[in-house]
Amino acid sequence: MTNIQAAFGTDQMDRLDSFIETKIKNYNLYKEAIENIEGLTLLPFRQDSRSNH
């Protein structure tokens, strides 16, 4: 791994929680948008683990 790759990786790790928050918001928007479409559902997430959505 180069120094630049390591810098990018550590920067992304610092912002991981905000990335996941955005993914959760998007998941909930999709879930709400399709809730009235018969036969269409999103897969549920396991309750015993932390999903990255």
Side-chain angles (χ1 to χ4, degrees):
M1 178 183 308
T2 67
N3 288 342
I4 291 176
Q5 290 170 326
F8 283 133
T10 56
D11 178 61
Q12 288 183 348
M13 290 300 294
D14 291 339
R15 298 184 298 152
L16 182 60
D17 287 332
S18 68
F19 291 153
I20 293 174
E21 285 177 25
T22 300
K23 289 182 172 191
I24 290 170
K25 288 177 186 175
N26 289 338
Y27 173 85
N28 289 330
L29 286 171
Y30 277 110
K31 188 175 178 181
E32 184 179 316
I34 67 168
E35 68 185 356
N36 294 321
I37 301 174
E38 186 177 334
L40 188 60
T41 60
L42 295 176
L43 293 174
F45 293 103
R46 290 178 53 154
Q47 298 300 314
D48 61 342
S49 64
R50 181 177 177 208
S51 170
N52 69 355
H53 287 75

